[in-house]
Amino acid sequence: MVKKILAKCYIYLILLLLYAPVLLIIVYSFSNTSNFSWRNGFTFDAYVSIFTSSKTPQLWAAVKNTLIIAVISSLVSTVMGTAAAIGIFNLKRRARAVIENVNQLPIINSEVVMAVALLILFTTLNIPLGYPSLILGHISFCTPYVVLSILPKLQQMDPNIYEAALDLGASPAKAMIKVVLPIIMPSVIAGGLLAFTLSMDDFIITQINKGAASGINTLSTFIYSDARIKGLEPFWFAIFSIIFVIVLTVVLIINIKKDKKEKTDEKSN
């Protein structure tokens, strides 16, 4: 009994440490101050200033750039990562271990090193800095995460299911699309969402590879350039709060749908 109470207290403490800063940002987004005070009382001025500030055009341009890069890179990363995960899973044990270790290099490697390496590669190949370099750069570091998201699901899958589909007359491509993909689809979606989030969140690779002449800013680089001059203005707290609420809502919807599907499958079985 005591162990269970201590375990729950430990979990609640970790959750508090993780989410307390985010909750503080949400709370102070209604104060319209940047020094964490309530001298202006409770107000929605910070949210209104998102649309009325002098920086609104730059902000929405950064949001548009962020979404364009995140959507394209996450879609490509999801397709490439899914194909790569299936290919890695079907390799022999020794070759699979080698490729899995290689796949983890971009994850454990320093992001600064990867950003500079990508810049050298783009310069050597004469790839223009801007949208092309940013999309390629984001694909390069998002794809390994998609692979890692899908591989455990493939390892849990019964390999006889694919063989049974082949024995029943399905071609390898049809068996892959009709049998394997539906089984691993939750992991594919999770990997795609992770890639999208990582792309939106990235700063170092984006900052180094966007090119000064391109004039492209994402949310992360725009926040950096703006906060470096005047510090974080109140409307940034409102933006952070909106982003957190949107991400939390999407995650909750996906998990609720997943739970309902699992319950439906259990009842049908």
Side-chain angles (χ1 to χ4, degrees):
M1 185 67 180
V2 176
K3 288 184 178 180
K4 288 183 178 180
I5 294 173
L6 291 175
K8 287 183 178 180
C9 291
Y10 175 75
I11 292 171
Y12 294 146
L13 177 62
I14 296 297
L15 290 174
L16 179 64
L17 291 174
L18 287 173
Y19 290 103
V22 179
L23 293 176
L24 281 175
I25 287 177
I26 294 173
V27 169
Y28 282 105
S29 68
F30 297 100
S31 68
N32 197 33
T33 60
S34 55
N35 59 357
F36 299 101
S37 67
W38 290 93
R39 67 171 182 266
N40 296 327
F42 185 90
T43 175
F44 289 94
D45 288 349
Y47 290 87
V48 174
S49 63
I50 295 176
F51 305 95
T52 59
S53 170
S54 60
K55 298 176 182 176
T56 297
Q58 294 172 281
L59 172 63
W60 287 112
V63 170
K64 183 187 76 172
N65 293 332
T66 302
L67 291 176
I68 289 173
I69 294 167
V71 168
I72 296 175
S73 61
S74 62
L75 287 175
V76 176
S77 298
T78 303
V79 174
M80 291 178 60
T82 302
I86 293 172
I88 293 170
F89 177 72
N90 287 286
L91 290 174
K92 292 183 179 179
R93 181 175 297 180
R94 184 173 296 180
R96 185 195 304 177
V98 172
I99 300 300
E100 284 181 357
N101 289 329
V102 171
N103 178 72
Q104 293 180 24
L105 285 177
I107 298 173
I108 63 177
N109 192 21
S110 171
E111 194 171 358
V112 174
V113 174
M114 188 171 180
V116 174
L118 286 169
L119 179 62
I120 294 171
L121 177 66
F122 297 146
T123 305
T124 304
L125 298 178
N126 292 321
I127 296 174
L129 297 182
Y131 276 121
S133 63
L134 290 177
I135 290 172
L136 290 173
H138 283 219
I139 290 171
S140 67
F141 76 81
C142 287
T143 303
Y145 287 94
V146 178
V147 173
L148 285 181
S149 176
I150 296 172
L151 275 176
K153 190 67 176 180
L154 286 168
Q155 292 167 355
Q156 294 172 5
M157 184 184 69
D158 186 354
N160 295 323
I161 296 177
Y162 177 74
E163 299 295 336
L166 295 178
D167 291 340
L168 292 172
S171 64
K174 190 172 183 180
M176 189 64 64
I177 295 171
K178 295 288 187 179
V179 178
V180 177
L181 276 180
I183 295 175
I184 66 172
M185 189 54 67
S187 296
V188 173
I189 294 173
L193 290 174
L194 178 60
F196 182 82
T197 305
L198 289 170
S199 177
M200 285 192 64
D201 184 58
D202 180 74
F203 170 73
I204 296 176
I205 290 176
T206 304
Q207 178 71 11
I208 292 177
N209 290 278
K210 69 186 181 71
S214 68
I216 293 176
N217 263 322
T218 61
L219 265 176
S220 59
T221 59
F222 182 51
I223 291 168
Y224 171 74
S225 61
D226 186 57
R228 187 177 55 175
I229 298 172
K230 292 185 178 180
L232 286 175
E233 296 184 47
F235 76 88
W236 283 117
F237 296 164
I239 292 170
F240 299 153
S241 302
I242 291 170
I243 292 173
F244 176 76
V245 170
I246 291 173
V247 172
L248 180 63
T249 303
V250 171
V251 171
L252 288 175
I253 290 172
I254 291 173
N255 286 331
I256 290 171
K257 287 186 175 180
K258 184 180 177 182
D259 290 340
K260 286 184 178 178
K261 186 178 179 181
E262 289 178 352
K263 289 179 181 178
T264 304
D265 293 340
E266 288 177 359
K267 289 180 180 178
S268 60
N269 293 331

